[in-house]
Amino acid sequence: MNSSNLTKESLAKLFDHTFLKAYATDADLTKLCDEAKAMNTAMVAINTEWTAFCKEQLKDSDVHVGAAIGFPLGQCGLETKLFECRHAIEQGADEIDYVINIGQAKMHHWDYIKDEMEKIVAICKEHHVLSKVIFENCYLEKEEIQKLSEIAKEVKPDFIKTSTGFGTGGATAEDVKLMKDTVGDAVQVKAAGGIRSWQTCKAMIDAGATRIGTSSSIQILKEFEEANA
C-alpha cells in the first residue's frame, strides 16, 4: 500500500479506533462508537467487557467490534485466552486481537507460541472472525520478531501486530518493515502504539502496515486533510 494513493475515506478504513483504558465508562465507549461511525473506521478496539455494548452501538454501521484478548500482558494462560476469545465472539466480536505469551517468546519456546497461535486462530476461523496476533515488539530482539513472523506466516492469522500501546515502546516503521518482509503476502501487518500524527501513520503505511491502531484517528485525519489541501 502506498500512502500517496489514500483518500480521507480510505485512510479512515485503515483505523482501529481505540479505547482500552482501565477507566472506560459507557460514555467513553458511546463516544468512541459515535466517532468510529462518523469516520467509518474499520473497527473499534475495546476490552472484552464492552463487546456486546459496542456491538449494539454499531449495529447500523459496517464498523467492526474488536476485542482485546489476554490484554495487555499476555500472561493469563492459554486456557483463559481461549475462553475469553470464545466469549468475545459470542458477545459479537468481529475481530480478535490477542497478546502472545511474551515470556514464552523470550525463552524461545516456539512450540508454545505456535500452539497458542494455532488454537486462537482456529477459533477465529471457525466463526469467520478476523485474528490479529500482538507481539509487543518493545520487549523483543529483532531475531525474535522475525521468528514470530515466520511462525505467523505458517499459521496464517489475518494480521500480526506490533504492540499493545501499554508496553515500554510502540510501533516503529523499522519493525513494521521487518514483519512485512518476513510474512510477505501471507499475513497483513497492523501497527499500533504511539501513532498520534499523520507523519507517523504515513511512515507505518509506507513500511507495509495495512491496519493502524490508534486513539488519535480524528487528529490524524485532520492532519491528513491539511497536508493534502
Side-chain angles (χ1 to χ4, degrees):
M1 179 175 291
N2 190 324
S3 64
S4 63
N5 297 328
L6 289 169
T7 63
K8 181 183 177 183
E9 291 74 23
S10 62
L11 175 58
K13 262 306 177 200
L14 300 184
F15 289 150
D16 288 353
H17 193 43
T18 303
F19 198 101
L20 290 160
K21 302 297 187 184
Y23 50 78
T25 66
D26 56 1
D28 293 319
L29 273 298
T30 298
K31 180 173 181 284
L32 181 80
C33 291
D34 286 345
E35 291 170 348
K37 285 189 287 187
M39 289 181 284
N40 195 26
T41 63
M43 189 186 89
V44 293
I46 45 94
N47 283 303
T48 305
E49 179 187 359
W50 294 102
T51 304
F53 180 89
C54 291
K55 190 70 173 180
E56 176 64 21
Q57 297 290 315
L58 294 165
K59 64 183 180 182
D60 296 323
S61 77
D62 65 354
V63 178
H64 282 183
V65 176
I69 305 299
F71 197 87
L73 304 178
Q75 293 288 305
C76 57
L78 178 54
E79 290 304 317
T80 302
K81 288 180 189 176
L82 296 176
F83 175 86
E84 187 180 8
C85 182
R86 292 189 187 99
H87 177 67
I89 293 170
E90 288 170 3
Q91 294 292 303
D94 305 291
E95 305 190 16
I96 294 291
D97 292 39
Y98 88 90
V99 187
I100 67 161
N101 189 314
I102 303 159
Q104 295 291 342
K106 293 303 296 180
M107 292 186 286
H108 296 179
H109 292 169
W110 303 121
D111 287 345
Y112 181 100
I113 295 295
K114 184 180 179 184
D115 180 60
E116 179 182 63
M117 197 182 300
E118 285 177 337
K119 286 177 176 172
I120 294 176
V121 169
I123 293 171
C124 292
K125 287 186 185 301
E126 178 187 351
H127 295 280
H128 308 290
V129 166
L130 291 179
S131 55
K132 307 194 197 85
V133 182
I134 308 174
F135 290 0
E136 201 69 295
N137 288 344
C138 59
Y139 301 129
L140 302 172
E141 302 299 328
K142 300 305 181 191
E143 294 80 7
E144 293 166 339
I145 296 170
Q146 186 170 9
K147 179 62 178 179
L148 289 167
S149 300
E150 289 169 355
I151 292 170
K153 186 176 182 180
E154 185 176 348
V155 176
K156 291 184 173 54
D158 295 287
F159 288 83
I160 51 177
K161 176 177 167 183
T162 60
S163 324
T164 64
F166 286 76
T168 55
T172 68
E174 179 186 6
D175 285 350
V176 170
K177 185 177 188 306
L178 173 61
M179 294 161 74
K180 188 59 183 173
D181 285 348
T182 305
V183 297
D185 294 331
V187 181
Q188 297 183 70
V189 177
K190 174 177 171 179
I195 303 172
R196 302 184 183 92
S197 70
W198 164 236
Q199 183 178 10
T200 305
C201 179
K202 180 180 185 298
M204 301 302 166
I205 295 166
D206 288 338
T210 51
R211 194 73 76 89
I212 302 292
T214 181
S215 57
S216 301
S217 310
I218 294 170
Q219 179 63 27
I220 293 170
L221 285 178
K222 180 171 180 271
E223 292 178 13
F224 172 83
E225 285 190 293
E226 290 169 352
N228 291 276

